[in-house]
Amino acid sequence: MDRVALGTQPLSLVPLVFSFIAPSSFIHIPHKFATFHFSGPAGSGLKWKGTGRYQISFFGDGKCILYEKVRFNGESADEWMPVHRFQYAPAYSVAGQSHRIEIRPIGPGKLVTAPFGAIVFDVKVDEKSVYSGGPGLLSATTTKKPGRTAQSTFVLTRTKARTESLPAQSTPVRVDTRRDQRIPFQISKLVYYTSGYLIDDPFALDFWPSGNLVLKIYALGHTPTGTTLSPRLFYFAENPNDPDIEISATSASGNLTSFTIPARTRFFYVRWEFTGTEEATPILEGYQVVMDGLVNTIDPTEFEHTASGLDQGALMSVSITGAEADPSHESMRVDIEDLRASLTRLSVRGRMLAQLETEYDSEDDELRCVLFRGHLVNNEGHAKGHGTATGLWPDRNWKSYDLTFMGVWKRLSEALSSIRFDWHGPDPNAPVGVDGVQPPWKATDAIRTMFKWAGFPDSMLNIPDLDIRLYPSTTNDLFIEPLANLCDYVVRIAKDYLAMWITYDPNAGTYGKWTLVATPTPPYTNVAAFVDAGPSNKLAHTLGSYETDPPTAFIQKGTLKTSTRPLEANRLVITGTGILAGTPPDLALLTQVAYNFKSCNFLGLPDTHPWYPDPEHPDYIGYDVPLYVIDPTLQTPEAVNLVTRRVFDVACLSTRVMSFIAPLLLIDHEDEEGKKRPLRFYDPVTVTRFGEQSQWLVRNVNPTYSKDSMQMAIYELEAPREPFLPS
């Protein structure tokens, strides 16, 4: 190889274009015939450090190799190391054809996930060439027509993230060719237009806005220093002969621009304005137009039905099923005798929002606790009137209503995504990490955003800002398509990433709040207590006879039940590879195995060994029961370990369960001063039996009422899963 060209100036990160014509004699001959030298971001590896000097060598069979000048640890001299191989043209289309290679160093973005940048090769074949389908960059199933075709190959310049940014090495451009094959070539600086615009296809809202709404446009791309990328929003004029009308931006910050659209406008399009320099250009990888969900008033006015007296209907019975770990379980059944036929809405409305309140202070009927809030789904009315004239008591239209309600979860379950969105993608609002890449979204940000898409405003959300982020992934596990159900993603992210549960708190704020509930850990702060014996020298059936710190209630005699829910498995295998074979290092990284050694003698220990499993333990099975979880979205050891802990706690431990009937306890609300709430999922409580106190966690509270002087509830508790609580 002879050096046939050498630049006069050292260049650093300058976009270049190499054009050449391959020798006609190199037909299917895999010989190297040309090498181009240039500069780029300095790479790094486990055992070597790059210098930022690169060369790309071209071969007669259509292949090329990218090398970087590196120095290995402990060595004193640099040497060329191959860092990437790719096909620049089909083997049958190399000889006698012109080829063009664009070298464009760009920053990290959605298309290129690189720690501090990447070198992008735009491989372009000659405009006059005609290829039938072939291997390499050209699809084997597609026939190429005359004209320019292009293929971009993204080459990462780092194989290991570093904590510091490495500068590029300034070197001159050089060209080496074979001595016996002089090839025509040309080198030029890649020059961009300094301004331009792009108009996208129009889109339409699927409803007519009745008021001013805000459309938010998020730009996904890269804007080098000295460049800008900004959206302009237009809507079509009602008269086709009139020009389209531009909507002025109301605010702009970073990659987010907000527009307030007028009422009764549906059809829009976005025009993107590009400004740059000859050396740098903004890159638009994509964009999103987002509108928060609409919050509508279901009823313009409220009406109140009081359970006392018979004039407005008598409340005969109430049965509420609590949400437990799954908010979709929350429901309520109410029986009402409408003797005056005055509840006309119940006879004509099949859907309405309602809440059940109870007073807890006989001297102030404004002090109330909400026991349930949700949507009417069934208003079955049984006609009981007879020949009595209208307006007398009971009215001839007297009905007995059997009403069924579902919790606020029903509204969330009906909400559908209106956009395509990847929660595994980079968070545009997050700062770039030390590796030069924007991290994925925070789990709580994703949950909060999807609640807003469903129409719940900030005033109905109690979602803390936690630093736990979703893992980057190339799968579609958290890739939301239009019309996807949002509730499934909300619950999955809360459980899998946060080990938390979503519940609706009807006593928070004005209309209630969606709340994240975490698993309590010792030492517990108990919020209530239950006892099986009444106090001395006091009335046992009156709540005022018991302690108030914490609130205490008696267990109704003959209602207490206990059971053990067996574990699902005692050996857990979590793998992100989808396979259970391979070399040990690979399996160690993306496969994790967890055992419950109290359930089986996995280690083959003698019965005299102190670690020999105890047959009296509730987890004991005596044989191996495996559970395999194969999840390709788990692409890092940290993700595998996290899911292992989450699944093991749920599936590989037995659960001690207790249920009983006791008076409905109301406790002080921890976030709402002056308000009370009933017990909810995973509230820590104590149970005292025969003078011995034990620790429990609430699973479910089901208030019941049936023409009684005291409101009762069915409680279901579970024992904490750390120690075994004796019966």
Side-chain angles (χ1 to χ4, degrees), residues 38 54-57 64-68 81-86 103 119 121 155-157:
F38 57 94
Y54 290 88
Q55 73 174 22
I56 181 169
S57 298
C64 59
I65 302 177
L66 174 69
Y67 297 86
E68 185 181 7
M81 180 178 178
V83 295
H84 188 67
R85 293 176 171 85
F86 67 96
I103 309 296
I119 298 174
F121 292 95
V155 181
L156 302 185
T157 60

Side-chain angles (χ1 to χ4, degrees), residues 138-203:
L138 299 180
S139 172
T141 60
T142 304
T143 300
K144 299 297 181 180
K145 297 180 179 179
R148 167 166 289 186
T149 60
Q151 172 69 37
S152 296
T153 300
F154 301 94
V155 181
L156 302 185
T157 60
R158 301 187 193 286
T159 58
K160 179 177 181 294
R162 299 177 62 95
T163 57
E164 75 279 1
S165 176
L166 299 179
Q169 176 73 38
S170 297
T171 59
V173 175
R174 296 175 294 175
V175 179
D176 298 339
T177 63
R178 278 184 51 165
R179 181 170 301 174
D180 59 336
Q181 295 286 346
R182 298 303 190 195
I183 66 172
F185 69 89
Q186 180 179 354
I187 304 174
S188 61
K189 185 178 178 181
L190 187 59
V191 176
Y192 300 107
Y193 286 105
T194 57
S195 65
Y197 64 89
L198 174 68
I199 297 179
D200 199 4
D201 291 334
F203 64 92

Side-chain angles (χ1 to χ4, degrees), residues 279-300:
E279 292 79 19
T281 181
I283 298 176
L284 178 65
E285 299 171 356
Y287 71 94
Q288 297 169 346
V289 181
V290 178
M291 180 185 68
D292 290 338
L294 298 179
V295 181
N296 294 325
T297 301
I298 296 180
D299 279 326

Side-chain angles (χ1 to χ4, degrees), residues 84-103:
H84 188 67
R85 293 176 171 85
F86 67 96
Q87 194 90 13
Y88 69 91
Y92 52 81
S93 302
V94 174
Q97 301 289 343
S98 62
H99 304 277
R100 171 176 166 168
I101 307 295
E102 292 185 5
I103 309 296

Side-chain angles (χ1 to χ4, degrees), residues 136-433:
L137 295 174
L138 299 180
S139 172
T141 60
T142 304
T143 300
K144 299 297 181 180
K145 297 180 179 179
R148 167 166 289 186
T149 60
Q151 172 69 37
S152 296
T153 300
F154 301 94
V155 181
L156 302 185
T157 60
R158 301 187 193 286
T159 58
K160 179 177 181 294
R162 299 177 62 95
T163 57
E164 75 279 1
S165 176
L166 299 179
Q169 176 73 38
S170 297
T171 59
V173 175
R174 296 175 294 175
V175 179
D176 298 339
T177 63
R178 278 184 51 165
R179 181 170 301 174
D180 59 336
Q181 295 286 346
R182 298 303 190 195
I183 66 172
F185 69 89
Q186 180 179 354
I187 304 174
S188 61
K189 185 178 178 181
L190 187 59
V191 176
Y192 300 107
Y193 286 105
T194 57
S195 65
Y197 64 89
L198 174 68
I199 297 179
D200 199 4
D201 291 334
F203 64 92
L205 301 180
D206 56 1
F207 64 97
W208 286 103
S210 57
N212 291 339
L213 300 177
V214 176
L215 290 183
K216 302 175 182 178
I217 300 181
Y218 292 86
L220 302 175
H222 178 61
T223 53
T225 302
T227 68
T228 62
L229 179 63
S230 57
R232 295 169 61 185
L233 184 65
F234 293 81
Y235 73 88
F236 294 98
E238 295 182 4
N239 189 339
N241 297 323
D242 295 338
D244 297 333
I245 303 174
E246 181 174 3
I247 302 174
S248 301
T250 55
S251 64
S253 176
N255 65 336
L256 169 64
T257 307
S258 298
F259 300 85
T260 301
I261 61 176
R264 295 181 297 279
T265 54
R266 287 186 55 205
F267 302 96
F268 306 89
Y269 64 87
V270 179
R271 169 171 166 159
W272 286 94
E273 301 289 342
F274 297 80
T275 62
T277 66
E278 291 186 347
E279 292 79 19
T281 181
I283 298 176
L284 178 65
E285 299 171 356
Y287 71 94
Q288 297 169 346
V289 181
V290 178
M291 180 185 68
D292 290 338
L294 298 179
V295 181
N296 294 325
T297 301
I298 296 180
D299 279 326
T301 58
E302 296 182 356
F303 73 98
E304 182 173 316
H305 169 63
T306 305
S308 60
L310 297 177
D311 286 343
Q312 299 299 321
L315 182 64
M316 307 303 293
S317 66
V318 173
S319 177
I320 300 176
T321 300
E324 199 173 329
D326 187 348
S328 65
H329 292 173
E330 189 174 18
S331 62
M332 178 176 69
R333 290 194 61 183
V334 175
D335 293 328
I336 293 179
E337 296 287 348
D338 186 15
L339 300 171
R340 289 285 191 185
S342 57
L343 302 178
T344 55
R345 291 190 185 184
L346 291 182
S347 62
V348 297
R349 290 274 299 273
R351 178 80 175 267
M352 69 175 69
L353 180 65
Q355 68 182 29
L356 180 70
E357 301 174 352
T358 183
E359 299 176 8
Y360 56 84
D361 190 333
S362 59
E363 298 181 358
D364 188 350
D365 59 3
E366 294 299 322
L367 295 178
R368 303 178 181 182
C369 176
V370 181
L371 300 182
F372 178 87
R373 182 178 175 88
H375 299 269
L376 176 68
V377 294
N378 181 37
N379 65 339
E380 184 176 314
H382 302 270
K384 290 191 173 183
H386 41 82
T388 308
T390 302
L392 298 181
W393 189 92
D395 193 276
R396 66 181 182 183
N397 289 320
W398 164 33
K399 290 182 180 180
S400 174
Y401 285 101
D402 183 3
L403 307 178
T404 303
F405 297 83
M406 295 183 66
V408 181
W409 177 260
K410 178 171 177 58
R411 175 178 165 188
L412 180 62
S413 67
E414 294 170 340
L416 303 178
S417 172
S418 60
I419 65 172
R420 177 178 289 107
F421 199 85
D422 183 10
W423 288 116
H424 284 303
D427 179 2
N429 301 316
V432 176

